[in-house]
Every structure is written in structure tokens, then in C-alpha cells.
């Protein structure tokens, strides 16, 4: 085959040769007789002429088809260009028409809503609810029983999720080798945390956390206390009766006035011991009250006497009331 799609020259020559052989088949003395050679030459010329005309015709038809395709492509390109320009002109018009349609639809929607609102003004709440409910498509009607079952299911689901979460936390702690914090343990099992009924309910205060305004209040009340014969602070150097210390006064009052047994007498406990001194508290078990010295003292015994003095003054105030 030739590049253009038709038969090659070699093929054409073979066809010519075969045609000539077919036409001159049976002629005698082809190479000797001039008459025969003339006839053979005439056949050759006729065959060549026929084949040349055929080849020319095929070439012309091929060229005609090529030109026709070229014209069709050119016409198609022109039509596309023409339609494109028309479409470009139509787009703004279509967009404008679309905007107008959207505005009309929006206005229709507002008109419909306004009409519905006017109708609802003349309806009761129950009627409005029924109208709105009728607009809902599909769905499962909710009753008290169905809601109750749903609620129980959600609660069970929540409990299971919490149990799974706790197990995952415990497995995570086991794998990591780290211990549980107090908060983690409380969240895991709150029953482990039970208040001790016999636990110490005393609130301990550090000396540096004591409010200094309390001392001002004591100083303001001091004249009144002195008038009543109840000193506010014990100092061994200035105490008027060394044989009647605050601890002795408190013990005598509990024994003679309150008629308490020695086991129920006041108890003294050390709260702190710092570089500034001792802080001690006096506990009145019969009243379930505690009195903590508000300032530290260098001597523990001095701190105990001052705590006892606070307790004694309190008992005196109760007696006067």
C-alpha cells in the first residue's frame, strides 16, 4: 500500500503486466513477427492508458474528498464561532431573566408565608400545632411509652459506655505502669471514699496565714475584758499570781463548777513548731470546741497557758450569759 492509502507503483506494474499477459495469451511468434509485436504493443498501450486513467481518476477523487473534508471543517469552525458570539450575547439576557424569576419566586414565598400567618391568627394553638404536624413527612409518632423505652435504652447505653471507658482506663494504667491519682480513683469507684465519723475535723491554720485583723479585734476588746477581770494573754514575767496560772484556773473551773471528771478535762495539742515558736490548741471535749493560739510562743508551756486562757475566758462568757 502507498502512503496515501492507494496501491503502490509496484502493485500497479504487476497488474499491468498480468493484464497484458492475459490479453496476449495464445499469440504466436510474439518475439519474431512484427505484426504480432505491433498487436502486443497496442495492447500494452491500451492497458497503460486504462490504468493511467484509473489512477488519475482515483487521485482526483481522493483530492476531491480531501478538499471536501477541509471545507466541512472550515464551515464547522465558522459555525462554532458564530454560535459562540450569539451565546455570549444571550448569557446576560438569561442571567437577567433568571434574577427576575428568582425575585418573583421569593416574592411568592413571602406572600404565601404572610397568608399563612394571617390564617394562623384566627386559629387556636392546638389547630396551629396540628397544621404544622401535618407538614412533617414520615417519622415515628412519639407516645409516652415509646419515649419511656427510648429513655431507658439511652440510660443503659450510657452506663455501658462508662463501664467500657473505665475498663479502658484501667488497662491503660496497667500497661503504662503508672499509679492512679486520687481523682482517677474517685471517678473509677466513689464508694472507696467514705468520710470517717471519728476523723479529726480541726481546721489547722499556718501562722503565716493568720489574719492580722484578728489581733486588732482582740486589742479592742481588751479593755472590756480587763474590766471583767479576765486577762487576754499570759506572760510569765508579768502574771500577777504564779500559783494560779490559766491552766490551773481552767482545771479548777472544770472540776468545781462543771463537775467534770479528769478524763473529760481540757486537752492540749501542738499545732506547729517553727522557728518563730509553738502554736498550741486547747480542746474542750465537753463542748466540742477548740481554741488555737493566734501567735507562736517561744516556750511550749507559755503557748499552752495562752490556749487555756482563751478557753477559760470563753467559759466565763457562757456563765455570764
Amino acid at each position: 500500500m502507498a502512503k496515501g492509502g492507494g496501491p503502490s507503483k509496484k502493485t500497479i506494474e504487476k497488474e499491468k503486466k498480468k493484464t497484458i499477459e492475459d490479453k496476449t495469451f495464445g499469440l504466436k511468434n510474439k518475439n519474431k513477427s512484427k505484426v504480432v509485436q505491433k498487436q502486443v504493443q497496442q495492447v500494452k498501450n491500451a492497458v497503460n492508458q486504462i490504468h493511467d486513467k484509473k489512477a488519475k481518476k482515483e487521485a482526483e477523487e481522493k483530492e476531491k474528498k480531501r478538499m471536501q473534508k477541509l471545507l466541512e471543517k472550515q464551515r464547522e469552525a465558522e459555525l462554532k464561532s458564530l454560535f459562540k458570539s450569539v451565546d455570549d450575547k444571550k448569557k446576560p439576557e438569561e442571567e437577567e431573566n433568571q434574577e427576575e424569576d428568582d425575585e418573583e419566586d421569593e416574592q411568592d414565598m413571602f406572600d404565601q408565608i404572610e397568608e399563612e400567618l394571617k390564617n394562623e391568627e384566627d386559629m387556636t394553638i392546638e389547630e396551629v400545632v396540628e397544621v404544622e404536624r401535618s407538614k412533617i413527612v414520615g417519622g415515628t409518632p412519639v407516645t409516652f411509652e415509646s419515649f419511656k423505652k427510648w429513655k431507658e435504652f439511652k440510660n443503659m447505653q450510657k452506663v455501658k459506655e462508662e463501664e467500657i471507658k473505665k475498663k479502658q482506663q484501667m488497662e491503660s494504667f496497667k500497661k503504662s505502669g503508672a499509679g492512679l491519682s486520687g481523682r482517677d480513683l474517685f471517678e473509677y469507684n466513689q464508694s472507696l471514699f467514705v468520710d470517717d465519723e471519728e476523723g479529726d475535723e480541726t481546721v489547722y491554720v499556718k501562722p503565716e496565714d493568720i489574719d492580722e485583723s484578728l489581733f486588732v479585734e482582740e486589742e479592742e476588746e481588751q479593755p472590756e475584758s480587763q474590766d471583767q477581770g479576765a486577762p487576754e494573754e499570759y506572760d510569765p514575767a508579768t502574771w500577777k499570781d504564779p500559783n494560779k496560772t490559766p491552766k490551773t484556773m481552767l482545771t479548777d473551773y472544770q472540776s468545781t463548777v462543771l463537775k467534770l471528771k479528769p478524763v473529760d478535762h481540757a486537752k492540749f495539742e501542738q499545732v506547729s513548731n517553727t522557728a518563730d515558736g509553738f502554736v498550741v490548741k486547747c480542746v474542750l471535749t465537753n463542748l466540742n470546741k477548740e481554741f488555737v493560739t493566734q501567735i507562736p510562743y517561744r516556750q511550749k508551756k507559755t503557748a499552752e497557758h495562752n490556749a487555756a486562757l482563751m478557753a477559760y475566758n470563753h467559759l466565763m462568757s457562757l456563765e455570764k450569759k
Side-chain angles (χ1 to χ4, degrees):
M1 296 289 288
K3 291 184 179 180
S8 63
K9 289 182 178 180
K10 192 174 182 180
T11 304
I12 294 172
E13 291 298 326
K14 283 184 178 181
E15 288 180 357
K16 287 181 180 181
K17 187 176 181 180
K18 187 175 183 303
T19 304
I20 292 170
E21 287 179 354
D22 291 340
K23 295 288 185 180
T24 59
F25 181 76
L27 293 177
K28 297 179 179 180
N29 300 320
K30 288 183 182 180
N31 299 325
K32 295 180 180 181
S33 176
K34 291 183 179 181
V35 176
V36 175
Q37 288 181 358
K38 187 178 181 180
Q39 289 178 352
V40 171
Q41 187 62 39
Q42 288 176 353
V43 171
K44 286 182 179 180
N45 292 336
V47 170
N48 288 332
Q49 190 175 4
I50 291 170
H51 276 278
D52 290 342
K53 286 182 179 180
K54 185 179 179 181
K56 185 178 180 181
K57 187 177 181 181
E58 288 178 354
E60 289 177 353
E61 288 179 355
K62 185 178 177 182
E63 181 66 17
K64 186 178 179 181
K65 288 180 180 180
R66 190 181 71 81
M67 292 299 296
Q68 189 175 358
K69 286 184 179 180
L70 185 63
L71 289 172
E72 287 177 357
K73 287 183 179 180
Q74 188 175 359
R75 189 181 298 112
E76 186 178 353
E78 290 176 354
L79 289 173
K80 283 184 179 180
S81 176
L82 181 62
F83 282 121
K84 185 177 180 182
S85 61
V86 173
D87 290 339
D88 291 340
K89 291 180 180 179
K90 283 185 177 180
K91 277 185 180 179
E93 295 178 359
E94 290 177 355
E95 290 177 356
E96 186 176 353
N97 294 334
Q98 183 64 36
E99 289 179 358
E100 292 178 357
D101 293 340
D102 292 341
E103 290 178 359
E104 290 178 0
D105 293 340
E106 188 175 357
Q107 185 62 39
D108 292 340
M109 183 183 68
F110 282 122
D111 293 341
Q112 184 178 357
I113 293 173
E114 187 176 0
E115 185 177 355
E116 290 179 358
L117 290 174
K118 288 180 180 179
N119 294 333
E120 289 181 359
E121 288 179 357
D122 300 329
M123 298 168 63
T124 63
I125 295 176
E126 290 79 5
E127 290 173 341
V128 173
V129 171
E130 289 300 325
V131 170
E132 295 299 326
R133 182 181 294 175
S134 64
K135 294 179 182 179
I136 300 175
V137 180
T140 304
V142 179
T143 62
F144 177 75
E145 293 298 328
S146 63
F147 175 77
K148 187 177 178 181
K149 289 181 180 179
W150 174 83
K151 188 66 176 176
E152 290 176 354
F153 170 75
K154 296 300 288 185
N155 290 337
M156 290 175 62
Q157 189 178 23
K158 185 177 180 181
V159 171
K160 288 182 180 179
E161 289 176 355
E162 289 178 353
E163 290 178 354
I164 293 172
K165 185 179 178 181
K166 288 179 181 179
K167 288 181 180 179
Q168 290 176 347
Q169 286 179 344
M170 291 302 295
E171 290 176 359
S172 176
F173 283 122
K174 288 179 181 178
K175 290 180 181 179
S176 63
L180 288 172
S181 65
R183 181 183 180 86
D184 294 331
L185 189 60
F186 179 77
E187 291 179 352
Y188 181 73
N189 189 355
Q190 297 183 8
S191 62
L192 298 175
F193 295 83
V194 181
D195 290 337
D196 186 2
E197 294 181 356
E198 298 180 358
D200 187 5
E201 297 182 356
T202 306
V203 178
Y204 297 96
V205 181
K206 296 180 180 179
E208 57 267 23
D209 295 335
I210 297 174
D211 189 358
E212 294 182 358
S213 62
L214 297 175
F215 299 107
V216 177
E217 185 178 353
E218 291 292 337
E219 290 176 0
E220 291 176 353
E221 293 179 356
Q222 186 172 355
E224 182 180 353
S225 300
Q226 287 178 349
D227 293 340
Q228 296 173 355
E232 290 298 324
E233 187 175 6
Y234 170 80
D235 185 356
T238 59
W239 193 256
K240 56 184 178 180
D241 190 353
N243 296 323
K244 202 172 183 180
T245 61
K247 290 180 71 173
T248 305
M249 293 164 56
L250 180 60
T251 302
D252 292 344
Y253 185 84
Q254 288 180 318
S255 299
T256 58
V257 179
L258 300 180
K259 306 296 183 182
L260 297 178
K261 296 179 181 180
V263 70
D264 296 326
H265 283 189
K267 305 291 190 300
F268 296 91
E269 298 177 10
Q270 178 179 307
V271 176
S272 65
N273 180 13
T274 63
D276 295 329
F278 293 89
V279 174
V280 176
K281 69 177 178 180
C282 176
V283 182
L284 298 181
T285 55
N286 62 317
L287 298 179
N288 195 22
K289 277 191 169 293
E290 299 176 351
F291 301 90
V292 183
T293 56
Q294 297 175 351
I295 58 174
Y297 293 91
R298 293 187 178 278
Q299 298 294 329
K300 183 178 179 181
K301 187 176 290 186
T302 304
E304 290 179 352
H305 281 302
N306 277 283
L309 183 59
M310 293 171 66
Y312 179 78
N313 289 339
H314 177 72
L315 293 175
M316 292 295 101
S317 64
L318 292 178
E319 184 179 352
K320 290 177 181 179
K321 290 180 180 179

